Amino acid sequence: MPELDSALAWELACGGPFPDPALLHGDEHFMALALKEAQKGVGLSSPNPPVGCVLVNDGRLLGQGAHTRAGDPHAEIIALMDAEARGNSVKGATAYVTLEPCCHHGRTPPCTDTLLQAGIGRVVVGVRDPNPRVDGGGFAILRAAGLDVQEGVLSEACARFHAPFFKLIRTGLPWVSLKLALGSDGALGPEGATTPVTPTSVQSLAHALRRASDAILVGRRTIEQDDPELTDRWPQPVPAHRRFLRVVLDPLGKLGPEKKVWRPYPGQPALRILVGERTSLRGVEDLHVPPDLVGNGCSLRHLLHELSSRGVGRVLVEGGARTALAFLEAGFVDEIHLFRSTKPAGGAIINLDGITGWKLLTEIPWSADKQAGTWNILTP
């Protein structure tokens, strides 16, 4: 069983764990390297997919690249530039790409054209791009030009990695990850009291989920109880264009201006979700959404569409119990990151009967500060 460290935590936050390149050979080995490269773009490239690419000839790595910002060159172009910077010729080389190369003009030229112009001889792809502007068109162009094209290498891993982008393309809604920390009694802790269910070191590793997301979302009661900042505190630095929305559901505008979440942080603006007009807070943007059908909160579907219109491709729902259950009951949760401790937390037990049919994707044990538990990832 792998040890939970920062590298594994990042893989789990990106949809992993993924195949280890060291344990694979041939095309699968290099596609696993491309997947590792692609992880550099998670949390940075939305609404574009964080594609990875490596260029290889006779088993030798010539160049590599990842797409890390919408409007910037795609992974294939970055890899070609990297190969040129290393002084490597790519004539006749194989390009390993996690997602089908684009074949349309957007903010950047088609990657299919650039690969052909560079003299690439073979293209190996993890998974087809469901974007209607691509969807097999990239393959067709490359094959028509005489290139050897292979599709579906490590397809399951690549599809899992690109699932947030696939959902955005197909539904217009961002990917929703729900983080829960429960004691052995299935409880979140006594209401009205801050109860750390997992030790500090595990909480720090769980911050990978924030770095992999474009927005974090909590309900009003979480702010009232814990007064969190909700900032991205993953230790590795990120480019200046990284934008992380701190979203607070406060339909009636009950939270006061003294709360820490409203404090300004560079690149991490706060967004207050309201139903109806309320007194504004200095430096805080308000987003007004319709009420839900029962009138107890806001329309989550409307909210998710609003977030996607702002370039949000991944949302992390981090608290509290009512907000978590609202997203689950509405069917908007795509994966659950469940941290279970072997110690009881106390308080009311959260009812998770609605996920009894969910699949356990992975279970990673952790042990720290005389505590133990698991990081479980579940999917519908």
Side-chain angles (χ1 to χ4, degrees):
M1 188 69 69
E3 180 182 352
L4 182 58
D5 57 13
S6 60
L8 179 55
W10 180 245
E11 274 205 25
L12 297 176
C14 293
F18 299 113
D20 184 350
L23 302 178
L24 301 172
H25 303 282
D27 288 345
E28 290 189 342
H29 168 77
F30 292 112
M31 186 59 70
L33 288 179
L35 265 174
K36 277 193 171 295
E37 189 70 18
Q39 291 172 47
K40 296 176 181 178
V42 175
L44 298 173
S45 66
S46 290
N48 286 1
V51 179
C53 174
V54 300
L55 305 175
V56 178
N57 205 352
D58 291 330
R60 177 169 165 258
L61 182 63
L62 305 176
Q64 58 196 54
H67 182 54
T68 59
R69 184 179 186 179
D72 281 1
H74 291 183
E76 298 92 324
I77 313 306
I78 297 293
L80 289 168
M81 293 168 62
D82 182 47
E84 182 179 6
R86 298 187 193 191
N88 294 327
S89 171
V90 298
K91 296 291 183 182
T94 298
Y96 292 87
V97 196
T98 58
L99 186 68
E100 178 183 4
C102 68
C103 54
H104 61 281
H105 284 272
R107 282 190 277 183
T108 58
C111 288
T112 49
D113 290 0
T114 307
L115 290 172
L116 292 174
Q117 293 166 5
I120 294 294
R122 181 171 179 252
V123 177
V124 179
V125 175
V127 67
R128 179 179 296 231
D129 187 347
N131 186 338
R133 301 180 72 185
V134 185
D135 198 13
F139 294 141
I141 289 172
L142 295 172
R143 287 181 175 128
L147 270 67
D148 175 14
V149 178
Q150 184 173 352
E151 176 185 357
V153 174
L154 295 187
S155 60
E156 182 179 346
C158 290
R160 191 166 69 247
F161 176 78
H162 286 299
F165 172 68
F166 292 172
K167 180 189 178 185
L168 189 63
I169 284 293
R170 290 167 174 156
T171 69
L173 297 173
W175 182 262
V176 177
S177 300
L178 172 62
K179 175 180 173 287
L180 290 172
L182 303 180
S184 58
D185 51 2
L188 293 165
E191 188 169 356
T194 301
T195 307
V197 177
T198 55
T200 302
S201 58
V202 176
Q203 293 175 26
S204 297
L205 292 174
H207 265 266
L209 292 168
R210 294 190 183 185
R211 176 58 57 87
S213 304
D214 304 309
I216 185 172
L217 185 149
V218 302
R220 171 179 58 84
R221 293 177 185 271
T222 293
I223 302 298
E224 290 177 334
Q225 180 171 304
D226 300 334
D227 197 19
E229 297 173 334
L230 299 182
T231 51
D232 169 12
R233 297 192 293 276
W234 188 246
Q236 297 179 9
V238 291
H241 76 269
R242 157 79 168 161
R243 190 168 182 266
F244 183 65
L245 276 177
R246 297 176 292 145
V247 183
V248 179
L249 303 183
D250 187 18
L252 301 180
K254 292 186 176 181
L255 294 173
E258 76 283 357
K259 296 302 180 182
K260 293 178 182 177
V261 71
W262 307 135
R263 296 176 183 174
Y265 285 89
Q268 303 186 47
L271 185 63
R272 184 173 65 158
I273 309 304
L274 298 171
V275 174
E277 297 296 329
R278 298 291 183 269
T279 302
S280 61
L281 298 175
R282 184 177 180 180
V284 178
E285 182 183 358
D286 289 337
L287 175 61
H288 300 271
V289 299
D292 60 20
L293 294 178
V294 294
N296 294 328
C298 67
S299 167
L300 297 181
R301 179 177 293 277
H302 188 100
L303 170 59
L304 290 174
H305 276 295
E306 286 286 349
L307 291 177
S308 69
S309 72
R310 294 166 182 250
V312 172
R314 297 172 182 243
V315 177
L316 174 64
V317 177
E318 204 171 278
R322 289 176 176 83
T323 301
L325 291 174
F327 272 87
L328 284 170
E329 290 169 1
F332 290 135
V333 178
D334 298 293
E335 64 178 5
I336 298 175
H337 290 263
L338 177 58
F339 292 80
R340 282 197 178 274
S341 172
T342 53
K343 289 187 175 183
I349 296 174
I350 185 170
N351 183 1
L352 295 179
D353 291 344
I355 67 168
T356 53
W358 285 44
K359 175 185 175 183
L360 178 63
L361 179 64
T362 192
E363 181 178 82
I364 304 296
W366 52 262
S367 178
D369 301 338
K370 298 181 180 180
Q371 278 187 258
T374 54
W375 180 343
N376 300 335
I377 302 178
L378 301 99
T379 55

